[in-house]
Amino acid sequence: MSVVAAKRPLAVSMCGGLLGNARATSQREIVRSARNFSGGEVNSQKDDREKVVVLGSGWAGYTFARRLNPKKYNAVIVSPRSYFVFTPLLASTSVGTLEFRTALEPIRNKRTHADFIQGWADSVDFFNKRISIEEAVDDPRLGLAPTGRRHVELSTGEHVTRRKGKTFNLDYDKLIITVGCYSQTFSIPGVREHALFLKDVGDARRIRKRILACFENAALPTTSDAMKKHFLNFAVVGGGPTGIEFAAELHDFITEDLAKVYKNEVGFAKITVYDVAPTVLPMFDEELGKYAMKQFAREGIEIKTSHHIKSLRKGLPDSENSQFDPKDEQYCMTLDVQEEGQIGAGMVVWSTGLMENPFVKNGLGSSQLIKTTDARLQNISEDQAVDSDWIARRDKKTGSLITDSHLRLVMEPKEQGDKGITATLTDVFALGDCAIIKDTAYPATAQVASQKADWLAKELNKGINGQGFRFNNLGVMAYLGNWNAIVQLETGKVSGRTAWFLWRGAYLTKSVSWRNKILIPMYWFINWAFGRDVSRF
Amino acid sequence: MSVVAAKRPLAVSMCGGLLGNARATSQREIVRSARNFSGGEVNSQKDDREKVVVLGSGWAGYTFARRLNPKKYNAVIVSPRSYFVFTPLLASTSVGTLEFRTALEPIRNKRTHADFIQGWADSVDFFNKRISIEEAVDDPRLGLAPTGRRHVELSTGEHVTRRKGKTFNLDYDKLIITVGCYSQTFSIPGVREHALFLKDVGDARRIRKRILACFENAALPTTSDAMKKHFLNFAVVGGGPTGIEFAAELHDFITEDLAKVYKNEVGFAKITVYDVAPTVLPMFDEELGKYAMKQFAREGIEIKTSHHIKSLRKGLPDSENSQFDPKDEQYCMTLDVQEEGQIGAGMVVWSTGLMENPFVKNGLGSSQLIKTTDARLQNISEDQAVDSDWIARRDKKTGSLITDSHLRLVMEPKEQGDKGITATLTDVFALGDCAIIKDTAYPATAQVASQKADWLAKELNKGINGQGFRFNNLGVMAYLGNWNAIVQLETGKVSGRTAWFLWRGAYLTKSVSWRNKILIPMYWFINWAFGRDVSRF
């Protein structure tokens, strides 16, 4: 089971041995490929447990790792993030209704029973059961939604290509792929560079800083009314639950708190939600959708459906360019909307769904492939044994990995085109936003991801049996601002204040740790009693 | 009282009028100097109150502004920071004993009764009673301790000079200078670039991220034991209360929390406090000093007194350079100590006291000066009227502003050399770390600053009378780690667990808002019960 090194095969030690975990480690070894190395010791403690490597620490990966029986499996989470994000509360943290850390759970925790390596999975060698990992401890985009090539630095405005981090190999007995998706920008010019996303805690932090900076800039004595209007124009692109809940939280923040401390500026503030579709919140039924629209109208949040964004850039709209100080250019951005022309804005929050993860596209199958004769390849759909290399099958439209109902990877022959020949790879599983079960249309939500994770952990804990995964739809909820929400269950629907209570209750119940179960209601109370904090740092 | 503009004298509006405050504003006007401007309106609401401009939002400025009677004075705080930092709790926030925001109070607050402009004071024209202000809303070093030229960007490793922000003028009736000091680095090479400071909340955040990154780097399977030793070597330079309390909090964080989740790395961790002086904590008496040393010895914190730092740089010590991967260079730094040679370290926290604020040195008196005949100049110490321009007198050694016992600025003739001729400027006050009262030696502490602020606000509220400021020494305290502290009062001294209770009690009592008075003990409890959070973002 030991692994071959490329140049200087000085075996260092086991993952399990080096990571914060005193449990014995298996005989698998990590080897630094093609790089000099000094020191290090070979750790060859016995570990009878199977080594389960989990790629990703989101709803699927984190939930799975926590549920897996540590007596039976030695789990290692590999993720660029050292924490799990409780995404439904992210919009609340982005305006200070909750403190950022209340939406986080650290992966390293006595109760998680999993080792952790902070890194990006680079590629998988299905044949040798080995993953190549790039270290990510010092990733400059730590905590931000991934939107594209991760070695291209956007923060400075120019695209600077970073050097790749160190890479090393990690062996697995079972591999769980839960790498999720990137944020979709449809390659609209300037969006990756200038829009803010809302997928990770770093995004929430940037949004909170940006909102406060816009108000503070507007409050400077040198700021004209025309510039105030730009600085305090907040655009949200994407009318799904993330975009809508963020708009609602922003509305609350402005009317409940910022209005009191920026009395002369608040009149310039405006929130607009853009979407290409004819309606927002398409997952809700018509009645709740209408209720939401009425609620937004009351709050002054403008919803612009069937609108198309052409570009986003820094600087003022062309028509006003000559009127202003060149320095205003730095703090204003221009959103070009097909139906409206150029709009000056202080902040654009982007939430238009998911984009295929490059690891799923490029990283899977870049190394030695599975042969037809491999015992791990089962349920080959053609009687004639196909003499071929097999690769992971992906959905033609979304690029998602396809699994069977046991969440095992569905493979297809590499060179056979789309003849529909498939097989199952029995030691690799995929779940979360990066995977779909063939012939199903479960949505890419936290609910599906965590149910799959729960199911798979139980399945592995007791040994796989006949019954496949089935999604149990628990309904959908969305916060609408001003203490109103909509909740749509299989059994009925609720809107208004009652729905808001359900919304808060559900997320409080689902929040993971006792720490957060205490802190979350504490902050709800504190911020209700004293207002949200407006310190910006 | 209206102000002359340099080129296009389009008067915009009053500060008070534009800022988040509905109170009427005085007839003073803000003028954009030498810059085109579109829009804007002249706000000429009457305000009978005197306009008090406070430069700075630290212990002196914030305390003063809160105490000032808003019925009598129209206070405007000008500061690059939009919050007040409760500095004694900063070390606790830097390791997660407390959440960052519990050490902050936003300046914009209904209860502060002061307007706010986020900016740096550039210069003061004592004659026209006018300050030039540079906007600071988008200052890239927001939240970080100032250490030198503020338009030089250090974060990228290279020194890039930023463009200066927009400037504008602000008039005052009374000026309160509480701009504080910069952090002292003694121009030791590399310190400004690579050391972390602990003076503002951004510093605390960088430290917390850095500690966790060091452990996470050490935990990577590719990290050798020799590199782990470097990454987990934490050096604190400066044995004053800040450095000592930080070392103590770091010790607690490592032994109470990180030891549980980085079991295999924690053995490599080491904390060393360096100081050039022969003892640390010089403000405590010998017995408490000895107690502190014994406590540190027990905790494994090494105290190296009479040690001199020669430089700090990125990369490994010279002797080891060839043995490692070039990429290790990025994550390790080398501290060159005269008595020890080159030491590899993962983090260097720098706290060696205060350096003169460049505004005090350059910004005061760069414009039109006060003439001898000016009625505001009083108590001229020579009988013969000196026909001269007067400038602010500064302490020869520290560069501090000198005030009389009423905290009014002491002036001296510009061209007269050091003949000891002085006068008092009756409408400008200076307090906090940037000022000393002549012939006194009060320490540059939060206690002195806030007592002066209290005294001055009362004085102005009731009209200045004969009695000058007197410092009431309430004692000194320092946290030593492992739930032990030392407290030295005028009436006696305490050490150990009792002193720790006093330490926590005192800071809880002194914390400003009810919000923080609730959150602080909450976090003390939460982190005692569940451990500090180790999520890094």
Side-chain angles (χ1 to χ4, degrees):
Chain A
M1 294 287 249
S2 163
V3 158
V4 192
K7 214 170 171 186
R8 242 188 114 179
L10 176 58
V12 197
S13 156
M14 270 299 306
C15 255
L18 279 178
L19 289 167
N21 197 305
R23 280 180 272 135
T25 52
S26 85
Q27 292 242 345
R28 296 183 178 284
E29 286 165 353
I30 288 161
V31 176
R32 298 188 77 245
S33 54
R35 209 168 250 126
N36 293 326
F37 201 91
S38 125
E41 68 206 79
V42 179
N43 185 333
S44 54
Q45 289 171 273
K46 284 271 177 198
D47 188 342
D48 291 338
R49 299 175 301 165
E50 270 194 277
K51 181 156 181 177
V52 179
V53 174
V54 182
L55 304 182
S57 58
W59 280 99
Y62 179 70
T63 310
F64 171 80
R66 281 172 54 91
R67 300 275 192 277
L68 200 64
N69 184 352
K71 290 193 183 125
K72 200 166 168 187
Y73 297 102
N74 172 14
V76 180
I77 296 177
V78 177
S79 171
R81 295 196 303 210
S82 63
Y83 47 80
F84 159 73
V85 184
F86 192 87
T87 43
L89 295 180
L90 218 45
S92 292
T93 69
S94 74
V95 301
T97 309
L98 291 172
E99 183 54 59
F100 297 119
R101 279 171 210 274
T102 62
L104 302 185
E105 300 291 341
I107 304 295
R108 290 188 183 272
N109 185 305
K110 283 171 295 172
R111 283 173 200 83
T112 310
H113 297 302
D115 285 339
F116 174 67
I117 295 175
Q118 190 155 19
W120 295 91
D122 234 20
S123 64
V124 180
D125 175 349
F126 288 133
F127 180 73
N128 292 304
K129 306 186 76 153
R130 187 188 306 154
I131 314 144
S132 168
I133 296 168
E134 179 189 350
E135 297 178 3
V137 176
D138 293 83
D139 190 340
R141 288 187 58 82
L142 188 77
L144 297 175
T147 54
R149 285 163 58 205
R150 69 173 188 263
H151 299 105
V152 176
E153 184 57 70
L154 297 171
S155 64
T156 53
E158 285 160 48
H159 292 216
V160 179
T161 304
R162 271 190 312 119
R163 277 192 302 178
K164 197 168 163 168
K166 271 189 206 173
T167 57
F168 59 92
N169 295 328
L170 186 67
D171 291 349
Y172 64 83
D173 293 316
K174 283 193 167 60
L175 178 64
I176 319 293
I177 302 174
T178 71
V179 293
C181 283
Y182 280 29
S183 292
Q184 182 61 272
T185 64
F186 303 105
S187 301
I188 295 171
V191 173
R192 282 189 65 203
E193 292 83 347
H194 307 303
L196 300 178
F197 297 84
L198 189 47
K199 216 183 161 183
D200 201 339
V201 65
D203 299 319
R205 195 172 169 268
R206 281 173 85 174
I207 289 173
R208 190 166 177 182
K209 281 182 77 174
R210 183 77 194 175
I211 298 164
L212 292 167
C214 287
F215 273 88
E216 205 58 61
N217 259 323
L220 285 172
T222 48
T223 304
S224 68
D225 283 1
M227 283 308 300
K228 280 184 205 187
K229 224 178 122 183
H230 290 328
F231 289 156
L232 301 184
N233 187 21
F234 301 110
V236 178
V237 183
T242 306
I244 290 295
E245 290 197 336
F246 171 70
E249 292 273 2
L250 177 59
H251 162 268
D252 289 359
F253 186 30
I254 291 174
T255 56
E256 293 170 10
D257 302 297
L258 296 175
K260 289 176 192 157
V261 289
Y262 294 97
K263 282 182 183 157
N264 297 313
E265 291 73 31
V266 75
F268 293 92
K270 187 166 172 14
I271 305 172
T272 310
V273 179
Y274 292 93
D275 203 303
V276 285
T279 54
V280 296
L281 295 174
M283 60 290 292
F284 289 89
D285 75 7
E286 208 186 320
E287 191 189 327
L288 290 181
K290 273 187 188 156
Y291 177 86
M293 297 304 283
K294 236 172 60 192
Q295 183 62 28
F296 287 138
R298 227 184 345 244
E299 291 167 5
I301 300 176
E302 205 163 343
I303 308 282
K304 295 192 172 171
T305 50
S306 304
H307 275 61
H308 301 76
I309 309 300
K310 283 161 65 186
S311 71
L312 178 65
R313 63 168 171 81
K314 274 213 159 185
L316 293 160
D318 289 335
S319 58
E320 302 173 28
N321 234 342
S322 59
Q323 300 172 37
F324 291 95
D325 194 284
K327 293 228 164 169
D328 287 333
E329 291 267 322
Q330 287 182 46
Y331 313 133
C332 177
M333 52 185 83
T334 293
L335 191 67
D336 196 349
V337 184
Q338 196 173 300
E339 289 75 11
E340 294 185 303
Q342 297 187 3
I343 313 288
M347 178 177 75
V348 176
V349 172
W350 198 272
S351 170
T352 60
L354 304 175
M355 187 182 81
E356 184 182 14
N357 190 317
F359 167 77
V360 168
K361 193 176 176 187
N362 310 320
L364 293 179
S366 69
S367 179
Q368 282 202 61
L369 304 164
I370 287 286
K371 297 277 179 195
T372 309
T373 49
D374 199 304
R376 290 169 290 167
L377 208 62
Q378 293 182 0
N379 311 327
I380 299 179
S381 62
E382 288 265 309
D383 281 349
Q384 309 93 310
V386 188
D387 184 21
S388 169
D389 290 328
W390 294 73
I391 57 168
R393 186 174 172 88
R394 297 189 300 130
D395 184 66
K396 295 288 167 287
K397 200 173 138 225
T398 61
S400 300
L401 291 168
I402 295 176
T403 70
D404 67 2
S405 65
H406 288 86
L407 311 185
R408 293 176 301 196
L409 216 55
V410 170
M411 307 292 283
E412 64 185 12
K414 192 178 181 186
E415 309 289 348
Q416 305 284 315
D418 193 19
K419 289 191 188 156
I421 305 170
T422 58
T424 312
L425 188 58
T426 52
D427 55 0
V428 181
F429 302 81
L431 51 156
D433 291 352
C434 69
I436 53 168
I437 298 173
K438 66 177 170 194
D439 307 326
T440 66
Y442 302 146
T445 60
Q447 204 178 112
V448 173
S450 60
Q451 284 187 20
K452 279 184 174 178
D454 249 342
W455 180 90
L456 183 60
K458 274 187 203 140
E459 193 80 344
L460 294 187
N461 287 345
K462 66 187 183 200
I464 290 173
N465 66 14
Q467 185 73 9
F469 170 78
R470 251 168 224 279
F471 175 50
N472 173 25
N473 190 349
L474 300 170
V476 280
M477 311 192 272
Y479 179 59
L480 302 177
N482 208 13
W483 302 27
N484 283 290
I486 45 177
V487 175
Q488 180 172 308
L489 309 170
E490 292 285 277
T491 51
K493 53 198 172 189
V494 198
S495 61
R497 192 64 52 96
T498 316
W500 174 81
F501 272 111
L502 285 175
W503 186 94
R504 284 209 160 172
Y507 289 136
L508 184 58
T509 317
K510 279 201 212 158
S511 72
V512 180
S513 61
W514 277 104
R515 176 193 185 84
N516 282 335
K517 278 191 206 299
I518 297 170
L519 280 174
I520 289 169
M522 191 73 198
Y523 272 102
W524 281 337
F525 166 74
I526 289 265
N527 289 323
W528 167 78
F530 305 109
R532 296 168 183 85
D533 182 56
V534 297
S535 308
R536 178 169 59 99
F537 71 96
Chain B
M1 295 286 250
S2 165
V3 157
V4 192
K7 214 169 170 186
R8 247 189 107 180
L10 175 58
V12 199
S13 157
M14 268 301 306
C15 253
L18 278 177
L19 290 166
N21 198 304
R23 278 178 273 136
T25 53
S26 85
Q27 292 243 344
R28 299 185 175 283
E29 287 164 350
I30 288 159
V31 177
R32 300 188 76 243
S33 53
R35 206 168 254 127
N36 293 325
F37 200 88
S38 125
E41 69 207 78
V42 179
N43 185 331
S44 56
Q45 289 173 271
K46 284 270 178 196
D47 187 341
D48 291 336
R49 299 175 301 162
E50 269 195 276
K51 181 153 180 180
V52 178
V53 174
V54 182
L55 304 181
S57 59
W59 280 98
Y62 179 70
T63 310
F64 170 81
R66 280 171 55 92
R67 301 276 190 278
L68 200 64
N69 184 352
K71 290 193 183 123
K72 199 167 169 188
Y73 297 103
N74 173 12
V76 180
I77 296 177
V78 177
S79 170
R81 296 195 305 210
S82 63
Y83 47 81
F84 159 73
V85 184
F86 192 86
T87 44
L89 296 180
L90 219 45
S92 292
T93 68
S94 73
V95 301
T97 308
L98 291 173
E99 184 54 58
F100 297 119
R101 279 171 211 276
T102 61
L104 302 185
E105 300 290 342
I107 303 295
R108 289 188 184 274
N109 185 305
K110 284 170 295 174
R111 282 173 202 83
T112 309
H113 297 301
D115 285 339
F116 174 67
I117 296 175
Q118 191 155 18
W120 295 91
D122 235 19
S123 64
V124 180
D125 175 348
F126 288 132
F127 179 74
N128 291 304
K129 307 186 76 153
R130 186 187 305 154
I131 314 145
S132 168
I133 296 169
E134 179 188 350
E135 296 179 3
V137 175
D138 292 84
D139 190 340
R141 289 187 57 83
L142 189 78
L144 298 176
T147 54
R149 286 163 56 203
R150 67 173 189 262
H151 298 104
V152 176
E153 184 56 72
L154 298 171
S155 66
T156 54
E158 283 159 50
H159 293 216
V160 181
T161 303
R162 271 190 312 121
R163 279 191 302 180
K164 199 170 163 165
K166 273 189 205 172
T167 56
F168 59 93
N169 295 328
L170 186 67
D171 291 348
Y172 63 85
D173 294 315
K174 283 194 166 60
L175 178 64
I176 319 291
I177 302 174
T178 69
V179 293
C181 283
Y182 279 32
S183 291
Q184 181 61 272
T185 63
F186 302 105
S187 301
I188 295 171
V191 173
R192 282 189 64 203
E193 293 83 347
H194 307 303
L196 301 178
F197 297 84
L198 189 47
K199 215 182 164 184
D200 201 339
V201 66
D203 299 318
R205 194 171 169 267
R206 281 173 84 175
I207 289 174
R208 188 165 177 182
K209 280 182 77 176
R210 183 75 195 178
I211 298 165
L212 293 165
C214 287
F215 271 90
E216 205 58 61
N217 258 323
L220 285 172
T222 47
T223 304
S224 67
D225 284 359
M227 283 309 298
K228 281 184 204 185
K229 226 179 121 184
H230 290 328
F231 289 156
L232 301 184
N233 187 21
F234 301 110
V236 179
V237 182
T242 306
I244 290 294
E245 290 197 335
F246 171 70
E249 292 274 2
L250 177 58
H251 162 268
D252 289 359
F253 187 29
I254 292 175
T255 55
E256 292 169 10
D257 302 297
L258 297 174
K260 289 176 189 154
V261 289
Y262 294 97
K263 281 184 184 154
N264 297 311
E265 289 74 30
V266 74
F268 293 92
K270 187 165 172 17
I271 306 171
T272 310
V273 180
Y274 292 92
D275 203 303
V276 285
T279 54
V280 295
L281 296 173
M283 61 288 295
F284 288 90
D285 74 6
E286 208 187 318
E287 192 189 326
L288 290 180
K290 273 187 187 155
Y291 176 86
M293 297 303 284
K294 235 170 65 190
Q295 183 63 30
F296 288 138
R298 226 182 348 242
E299 290 167 5
I301 300 175
E302 205 162 343
I303 307 283
K304 294 192 174 172
T305 50
S306 304
H307 275 62
H308 301 77
I309 308 300
K310 284 160 65 187
S311 72
L312 177 64
R313 63 170 171 79
K314 275 211 158 186
L316 293 160
D318 289 335
S319 59
E320 302 170 29
N321 234 342
S322 58
Q323 301 174 36
F324 290 95
D325 194 283
K327 293 230 166 170
D328 288 332
E329 292 269 322
Q330 287 182 46
Y331 313 132
C332 176
M333 51 185 83
T334 295
L335 191 66
D336 197 348
V337 185
Q338 197 173 299
E339 289 76 10
E340 293 183 303
Q342 295 188 4
I343 313 288
M347 178 177 75
V348 176
V349 172
W350 198 271
S351 170
T352 59
L354 305 175
M355 187 181 81
E356 184 182 14
N357 190 317
F359 167 75
V360 168
K361 193 176 175 187
N362 309 320
L364 293 179
S366 68
S367 181
Q368 280 202 65
L369 304 165
I370 287 286
K371 298 277 180 195
T372 309
T373 49
D374 198 303
R376 289 170 290 165
L377 209 63
Q378 291 182 0
N379 310 326
I380 300 180
S381 63
E382 288 266 310
D383 280 351
Q384 307 94 308
V386 189
D387 183 23
S388 169
D389 291 329
W390 293 74
I391 57 168
R393 185 174 172 89
R394 297 191 299 130
D395 183 67
K396 295 287 167 289
K397 202 173 135 217
T398 62
S400 300
L401 292 167
I402 295 176
T403 70
D404 68 2
S405 64
H406 288 86
L407 311 186
R408 295 176 298 196
L409 216 54
V410 171
M411 308 291 282
E412 63 185 13
K414 193 178 180 186
E415 309 288 350
Q416 303 286 314
D418 193 20
K419 289 193 188 155
I421 303 170
T422 58
T424 311
L425 188 59
T426 54
D427 56 359
V428 180
F429 303 80
L431 52 155
D433 291 352
C434 69
I436 53 169
I437 298 175
K438 68 177 170 193
D439 307 326
T440 66
Y442 302 146
T445 60
Q447 205 179 111
V448 172
S450 60
Q451 284 187 21
K452 279 183 174 179
D454 250 344
W455 180 89
L456 183 60
K458 273 187 205 142
E459 193 81 343
L460 294 186
N461 287 345
K462 65 185 182 200
I464 291 176
N465 66 15
Q467 186 73 10
F469 169 77
R470 251 168 223 278
F471 175 49
N472 173 24
N473 190 349
L474 299 170
V476 280
M477 310 191 273
Y479 179 58
L480 302 177
N482 208 16
W483 302 26
N484 283 291
I486 45 178
V487 175
Q488 180 174 309
L489 309 171
E490 293 283 276
T491 50
K493 53 198 173 187
V494 198
S495 61
R497 192 63 52 94
T498 317
W500 174 80
F501 272 111
L502 285 176
W503 186 94
R504 284 208 160 172
Y507 289 136
L508 184 58
T509 316
K510 279 200 214 159
S511 71
V512 180
S513 61
W514 276 105
R515 178 193 183 84
N516 282 335
K517 280 192 206 294
I518 296 170
L519 280 175
I520 290 168
M522 192 72 199
Y523 272 103
W524 282 337
F525 165 73
I526 289 266
N527 288 323
W528 167 77
F530 305 109
R532 296 169 183 86
D533 182 55
V534 298
S535 308
R536 179 169 58 98
F537 71 97

